[in-house]
Amino acid sequence: MLWTANQFIRKFSSTAIYYQNKLRLALIGQSLFGQEVYNNLRKEGHKIVGVFTVPDKDGKTDPLAVAAEKDGTPVFKFPRWRVKGKSIPEVVEAYKSVGAELNVLPFCTQFIPMDVIDSPKNGSIIYHPSILPRHRGASAINWTLIHGDKKAGFSVFWADDGLDTGPILLQRVCDVEPNDTVDTLYNRFLFPEGIKAMVEAVQLIADGKAPRIGQPEDGATYEGIQKKDNAKICWDNTAQAIHNWIRGHDKVPGAWTLINEQVVTLYGSSLLDGPVPAGQPVSIEGASKPGLVTKNGLVLFGNDGKMLTIRNLQFEDGKMIPASKYFSKDDSATLELTEEEKAVESEIRNIWKGILSNVSVIEKTTDFFKSGAASMDVVRLVEELKQKCEGLELQNEDVYMATTFEEFIQMVVRKLRGEDKEELIIDYASLDVNNMTVKMPYQCFINGQFIDADNGKTYDTINPTDGSVICKVAYCSVADVDKAVAAAKDAFENGEWGKMNARDRGRILYRLADLMEEHQEELATIEAIDSGAVYTLALKTHVGMSVQTFRYFAGWCDKIQGSTIPINQARPNRNLTFTKKEPLGVCAIIIPWNYPLMMLAWKSAACLAAGNTLVLKPAQVTPLTALKFAELAVKAGLPKGVINILPGSGGLVGQRLSEHPDIRKLGFTGSTPIGKQIMKSCAVSNLKKVSLELGGKSPLIIFNDCDLDKAVRMGMGAVYFNKGENCIAAGRLFVEESIHDEFVTRVVEEIKKMRIGDPLDRSTDHGPQNHKAHMEKLLEYCEIGVKEGATLVYGGRKVPRPGFFMEPTVFTDVEDHMYLAQEESFGPIMVISKFKDGDIDGVLQRANNTEYGLASGVFTKDISKAMYVSEKLNAGTVFINTYNKTDVAAPFGGFKQSGFGKDLGEEALHEYLRTKAVTVEY
């Protein structure tokens, strides 16, 4: 159909949608928020006929006025609009001269008379940062947090003669996070979404579609303005109430108290569970007990005995310090600047001059705040400096901690040199073992910090060599999962990682691989004592391949590409379609206990290379190398929140991860029954993407024309490698009848030569099983085999020594219907069945008669036979005249109930990416 002239016309571009219906607008207000509303309304094609803002203060122009003056928009700076309740005629006349059709008040601190409010034909709309009718008044954000509201939001309403009582045009709502402050809530939601909503509201009015919904009086509240003099903390409250009071004043106006008779303002409050941490007591006026200065901040107590932690303290002179440094002296020496750093200093001086326009000369002692800077100037300083210094990690609170020009320069230079990195505080479990002292973190790792589990619970991790306790490890709860996911989400959406250049991301992963290599002996030792892996194998495979995996995927970071696609559309055909590969967001990874570090590397390296953030749950019985990895990740420069490690139970932590609505992908390696449950939970929760590497019963077919020496050697490796705790272990060997007996005899001879013992002994061939319950399961597996009539040729018993040692075992005469032929042992148990000479298709049918399809193998000198068999075997990996030969560049994954999705190789990257198609008409 033809569109008539009075209907709206859409014109597509990369930035905006333009409509025919436009208005002449007067913007009344101030601040960066007002500036962004102004800019976005102009982009949408509306005509700003006048900007009415506050007069310059200390020679500084308001940001809204700066933008308007730059565009040539008429700007009026009235100190007031009325005197003694009556409008000032000349002010009103000046306002009416612009001929506005709608007044837009994004943020306004002045009282605007009703004859101005009602003057335009469309009236006036106002932005208010609360869900009206709740929290009317000028401190709405503060009171949302002080009252502990679970929901926050904003309203755009039609102005009337009441205080925030006019009809609602639109509202938006968000969740309040447990540790949200005024600043975080404003920056995360109220500011960016408020700008969009104001533009949307204006367009609704222009299109004649704007509603007027009367505010109910039920639930209406009005609270007074919060200022510094009424922000003092009352300690006769619960920890939750105190926490809400502090965060409800963070950053403005700032909740304060008297500490050692000094006025101190508190910032960065968070609730603290678990036992009371060690710290140095400090006197707080009115508190029921002293605070504690700890390594993580200032711990305070409510009247209910519960705790909260304060991150930063600010003194009356404006100086801010980390609360953990309250008793510390600042002994940092003044840095000598290089020529390049002096150039940066000059750039910063110019930025300070631009902001502090009332200060003629910026000297070393010039104080940013004492020279008249306000909170919006902090934002400007930080953002301008980030543009000038690529890669600089600067936060608003850094400005409060270095208020003079000299302090600020020293702080920036330290950051640029990498000397400012926040010290990672780790409580280690140390152990003198393997001719070294290994230092093992044992707390959960969330948002760049090692902390106790939310509930304070721990559990013992056991050394399978002798059954002794290595150390106690944090036993994470659902609350810890939620914290970790929130940290990962924030790191992805708002943090440095999500904005980082792909090559910079690759450099960090290369550094991480280098650090893992530097610590390979310590990592291999931890792997040996925590999982029972033989040290030499742990060094080469568990750790060695982990290093290779991170190096491989580090190289992929800047090579992830989309494609261009020719499309056929109506003439003239000036269209372009291209695809982009994008990260998914927050990913969960759940790994098994057989290769604790290597399984972590296989999944997390691809996940991180693709640009995602992750929450990883190591196996409950082998958490220690994952936690050591977290320590190395921080040293490599991974920003906080990118990696989070949660030791604990699969039923609790793993289940919550599979159900969590903010996780977009879950990668799991483990058993098939648990994989099915995870897949179900992922589907029911939010249809998150899933990749599963599950159980296996991998067949190995040995023909009579093989190299028998090689077949025996590699057949044993296929079963006994890593004590049989190997996902691709040959779960069933099919040996051609004419060589069967000789094969069995030679295998038993070789087993007798194997040395079973301490995995840290360099001569040991075979270490302990991973944990006691698994060893008992293997013994039961052998008992079932004997009862069903299989022949136990060797082993089948626990080795008579401390620890969880199992004899390498051989069964023959295993028939297809038997339990041993169908079920995976995941241990050092060789299950042998013979097949008739020449019956290739018969043995293939038997080999494929399983619901698993992870790996398989064939030994023969006949290449035609080998290729035929490899084609017919229904498994994700086929080994020919070799076994266990995986490589970081080759995709790894199974068929059928062994799962789907790939680890390793380029294909693994696609498990952690999504494809977006973009079509452009030009």
Side-chain angles (χ1 to χ4, degrees):
M1 61 179 290
L2 296 175
W3 291 88
T4 58
N6 63 345
Q7 290 176 300
F8 70 80
I9 300 168
R10 289 194 175 194
K11 182 177 180 181
F12 290 91
S13 76
S14 60
T15 57
I17 298 175
Y18 295 92
Y19 297 85
Q20 188 179 35
N21 299 323
K22 298 300 169 190
L23 293 174
R24 292 167 55 84
L25 307 175
L27 246 72
I28 304 175
Q30 67 226 59
S31 80
L32 285 171
F33 184 75
Q35 182 189 68
E36 287 301 308
V37 171
Y38 166 86
N39 288 333
N40 280 271
L41 286 170
R42 288 188 78 247
K43 283 180 185 177
E44 290 298 316
H46 295 285
K47 174 70 173 176
I48 312 296
V49 294
V51 164
F52 299 85
T53 187
V54 293
D56 296 353
K57 183 178 180 181
D58 297 325
K60 290 166 54 184
T61 303
D62 184 82
L64 173 56
V66 170
E69 288 170 351
K70 183 179 178 183
D71 295 330
T73 301
V75 176
F76 303 84
K77 301 177 183 179
F78 300 136
R80 63 185 64 83
W81 290 72
R82 60 184 189 174
V83 175
K84 296 182 179 179
K86 292 185 178 181
S87 301
I88 302 173
E90 54 268 32
V91 171
V92 174
E93 183 179 347
Y95 158 76
K96 289 183 176 180
S97 69
V98 302
E101 297 172 316
L102 174 70
N103 291 332
V104 179
L105 286 73
F107 174 73
C108 182
T109 58
Q110 296 177 312
F111 286 100
I112 310 301
M114 286 307 298
D115 46 352
V116 171
I117 292 292
D118 294 335
S119 177
K121 69 176 183 179
N122 292 299
S124 302
I125 59 170
I126 301 176
Y127 171 89
H128 184 78
S130 81
I131 309 166
L132 292 173
R134 189 162 172 79
H135 304 310
R136 293 168 176 165
S139 296
I141 313 175
N142 306 83
W143 288 105
T144 296
L145 295 172
I146 292 168
H147 283 294
D149 292 0
K150 300 299 182 186
K151 298 285 184 181
F154 58 80
S155 307
V156 178
F157 69 96
W158 299 93
D160 65 3
D161 59 357
L163 183 60
D164 305 329
T165 57
I168 302 297
L169 194 160
L170 62 78
Q171 291 182 318
R172 297 287 183 269
V173 177
C174 71
D175 291 330
V176 177
E177 300 294 335
N179 294 324
D180 260 334
T181 65
V182 174
D183 267 16
T184 62
L185 190 56
Y186 184 72
N187 293 330
R188 185 182 79 247
F189 184 80
L190 300 176
F191 182 89
E193 296 304 316
I195 293 164
K196 296 176 189 175
M198 288 298 284
V199 175
E200 180 184 347
V202 170
Q203 192 58 54
L204 286 170
I205 295 168
D207 294 337
K209 298 177 181 178
R212 292 175 179 262
I213 303 168
Q215 291 190 36
E217 281 307 305
D218 185 33
T221 63
Y222 171 80
E223 294 93 1
I225 297 175
Q226 285 306 101
K227 297 181 179 179
K228 197 72 176 181
D229 58 1
N230 61 4
K232 186 177 182 181
I233 300 166
C234 174
W235 295 104
D236 190 19
N237 278 298
T238 64
Q240 178 70 64
I242 295 170
H243 167 65
N244 288 341
W245 183 264
I246 294 170
R247 69 191 184 118
H249 293 82
D250 187 346
K251 286 286 189 295
V252 178
W256 60 276
T257 189
L258 291 175
I259 300 179
N260 286 333
E261 299 182 352
Q262 280 185 300
V263 173
V264 180
T265 305
L266 313 184
Y267 296 109
S269 175
S270 59
L271 292 170
L272 177 64
D273 290 329
V276 177
Q280 190 171 350
V282 60
S283 174
I284 298 173
E285 183 185 81
S288 57
K289 57 195 303 186
L292 292 173
V293 177
T294 73
K295 63 184 182 182
N296 293 320
L298 173 62
V299 174
L300 304 170
F301 300 86
N303 61 12
D304 54 356
K306 295 184 178 180
M307 298 176 286
L308 58 148
T309 304
I310 303 302
R311 189 172 68 248
N312 296 318
L313 305 176
Q314 188 175 39
F315 300 97
E316 284 187 282
D317 62 0
K319 180 76 173 184
M320 185 180 286
I321 64 167
S324 59
K325 302 290 179 67
Y326 180 77
F327 288 113
S328 303
K329 293 182 179 178
D330 185 7
D331 297 325
S332 54
T334 301
L335 300 176
E336 289 293 330
L337 305 189
T338 65
E339 290 304 314
E340 186 177 351
E341 289 164 350
K342 287 178 181 177
V344 172
E345 179 185 27
S346 179
E347 290 275 11
I348 296 172
R349 191 183 299 275
N350 289 334
I351 295 173
W352 275 52
K353 282 182 180 177
I355 296 172
L356 305 176
S357 54
N358 56 314
V359 178
S360 56
V361 179
I362 304 296
E363 299 177 339
K364 287 183 177 182
T365 56
T366 300
D367 189 286
F368 191 68
F369 296 103
K370 290 178 180 177
S371 298
S375 58
M376 65 182 182
D377 298 310
V378 173
V379 176
R380 177 180 167 185
L381 173 60
V382 169
E383 295 307 316
E384 282 197 46
L385 195 49
K386 281 181 179 178
Q387 287 182 340
K388 297 286 185 183
C389 303
E390 187 177 350
L392 176 65
E393 298 177 39
L394 193 66
Q395 306 297 327
N396 291 357
E397 66 184 33
D398 292 324
V399 183
Y400 291 96
M401 292 189 182
T403 59
T404 68
F405 185 73
E406 182 177 36
E407 290 171 341
F408 189 78
I409 292 297
Q410 292 282 308
M411 178 267 294
V412 169
V413 170
R414 284 193 168 90
K415 283 182 176 291
L416 291 173
R417 292 183 183 182
E419 296 176 7
D420 73 305
K421 297 296 182 185
E422 188 176 331
E423 182 184 356
L424 182 63
I425 300 170
I426 308 175
D427 287 338
Y428 290 110
S430 298
L431 194 64
D432 292 323
V433 61
N434 200 22
N435 299 315
M436 69 179 77
T437 300
V438 293
K439 300 172 73 176
M440 300 167 287
Y442 57 84
Q443 297 167 294
C444 48
F445 183 73
I446 300 174
N447 203 25
Q449 292 184 313
F450 285 101
I451 57 174
D452 292 333
D454 185 77
N455 55 18
K457 290 184 179 179
T458 61
Y459 69 96
D460 294 336
T461 188
I462 305 297
N463 184 341
T465 302
D466 57 10
S468 63
V469 175
I470 302 170
C471 64
K472 290 188 177 297
V473 177
Y475 189 79
C476 291
S477 66
V478 168
D480 295 304
V481 176
D482 292 345
K483 288 179 188 176
V485 173
K489 184 180 180 184
D490 185 61
F492 180 78
E493 294 179 353
N494 305 311
E496 175 193 358
W497 188 250
K499 305 168 188 173
M500 188 177 292
N501 178 286
R503 289 181 184 173
D504 291 338
R505 190 164 68 240
R507 278 194 286 270
I508 290 176
L509 295 186
Y510 275 122
R511 281 203 299 271
L512 178 54
D514 291 344
L515 283 167
M516 292 170 71
E517 190 169 54
E518 287 175 27
H519 290 261
Q520 60 183 336
E521 289 87 0
E522 185 177 20
L523 287 167
T525 301
I526 297 171
E527 200 90 330
I529 64 174
D530 203 26
S531 76
V534 172
Y535 175 75
T536 50
L537 175 66
L539 198 60
K540 178 180 182 297
T541 302
H542 290 232
V543 179
M545 194 173 187
S546 300
V547 173
Q548 292 174 24
T549 303
F550 270 98
R551 286 199 175 124
Y552 174 80
F553 283 108
W556 267 109
C557 287
D558 61 351
K559 301 171 187 68
I560 298 170
Q561 300 177 10
S563 59
T564 57
I565 304 168
I567 62 171
N568 187 14
Q569 293 289 344
R571 301 293 180 183
N573 189 7
R574 296 180 64 81
N575 300 293
L576 169 66
T577 293
F578 61 91
T579 62
K580 297 171 64 181
K581 296 289 186 179
E582 299 178 340
L584 300 171
V586 181
C587 299
I589 292 174
I590 302 174
I591 57 174
W593 42 259
N594 56 329
Y595 295 103
L597 185 63
M598 194 171 78
M599 291 296 98
L600 176 153
W602 279 23
K603 294 187 185 300
S604 63
C607 175
L608 294 170
N612 301 287
T613 58
L614 67 89
V615 180
L616 182 141
K617 194 201 89 66
Q620 184 172 346
V621 291
T622 54
L624 296 180
T625 43
L627 294 169
K628 188 69 179 180
F629 168 81
E631 176 189 347
L632 299 179
V634 173
K635 291 180 179 179
L638 266 85
K640 67 179 184 178
V642 174
I643 289 175
N644 303 271
I645 310 290
L646 302 177
S649 79
L652 197 65
V653 175
Q655 184 63 30
R656 177 57 179 160
L657 288 171
S658 66
E659 294 171 345
H660 203 291
D662 289 332
I663 291 174
R664 294 299 166 193
K665 159 72 196 277
L666 191 146
F668 171 74
T669 296
S671 72
T672 297
I674 298 300
K676 290 179 178 179
Q677 178 60 43
I678 283 175
M679 189 174 176
K680 180 180 178 181
S681 298
C682 288
V684 171
S685 56
N686 63 339
L687 277 178
K688 55 178 65 71
K689 190 175 182 181
V690 181
S691 57
L692 304 171
E693 195 251 281
L694 306 177
K697 190 65 177 174
S698 302
L700 174 57
I701 303 172
I702 301 175
F703 289 99
N704 59 14
D705 61 351
C706 70
D707 179 338
L708 191 57
D709 287 339
K710 187 176 184 181
V712 169
R713 185 177 71 256
M714 290 201 162
M716 290 183 65
V719 176
Y720 302 125
F721 188 81
N722 199 46
K723 313 158 299 178
E725 297 168 352
N726 187 18
C727 50
I728 58 171
R732 192 176 182 193
L733 277 66
F734 294 93
V735 183
E736 204 158 8
E737 191 170 26
S738 57
I739 62 168
H740 174 273
D741 292 349
E742 183 181 358
F743 179 86
V744 172
T745 299
R746 290 175 65 169
V747 164
V748 172
E749 287 174 356
E750 292 300 317
I751 288 175
K752 291 177 180 178
K753 298 175 187 177
M754 290 172 66
R755 178 165 177 171
I756 302 172
D758 186 345
L760 293 173
D761 188 326
R762 303 311 190 261
S763 63
T764 294
D765 298 305
H766 189 82
Q769 303 311 132
N770 186 276
H771 52 282
K772 184 179 180 181
H774 182 56
M775 182 190 67
E776 291 172 347
K777 179 184 171 185
L778 294 175
L779 295 173
E780 182 183 358
Y781 187 91
C782 293
E783 290 173 5
I784 293 172
V786 172
K787 287 178 182 177
E788 288 191 337
T791 301
L792 178 60
V793 177
Y794 191 89
R797 298 170 299 179
K798 179 183 184 302
V799 177
R801 59 169 290 165
F804 312 136
F805 292 86
M806 169 91 178
E807 291 179 336
T809 300
V810 179
F811 277 98
T812 60
D813 303 318
V814 177
E815 298 177 15
D816 294 353
H817 68 274
M818 290 181 178
Y819 182 81
L820 269 63
Q822 297 174 5
E823 297 298 326
E824 179 181 28
S825 71
F826 211 65
I829 301 172
M830 185 177 285
V831 175
I832 304 175
S833 301
K834 68 177 69 172
F835 66 97
K836 291 181 180 181
D837 288 4
D839 188 11
I840 299 175
D841 289 327
V843 74
L844 279 170
Q845 184 178 2
R846 296 171 70 190
N848 286 329
N849 187 23
T850 172
E851 274 299 304
Y852 299 111
L854 189 56
S856 59
V858 55
F859 280 84
T860 176
K861 292 179 181 177
D862 185 337
I863 189 63
S864 296
K865 184 193 297 183
M867 296 307 292
Y868 175 78
V869 170
S870 69
E871 185 178 311
K872 297 297 182 181
L873 282 168
N874 197 356
T877 297
V878 180
F879 297 107
I880 298 176
N881 294 325
T882 187
Y883 209 88
N884 285 326
K885 192 165 284 186
T886 53
D887 186 88
V888 295
F892 179 92
F895 299 160
K896 300 187 287 188
Q897 292 198 45
S898 287
F900 51 83
K902 298 295 182 184
D903 291 327
L904 304 180
E906 181 181 358
E907 286 194 42
L909 278 172
H910 300 297
E911 300 293 334
Y912 295 94
L913 292 166
R914 64 186 184 188
T915 302
K916 177 183 286 183
V918 181
T919 298
V920 182
E921 180 179 305
Y922 57 97

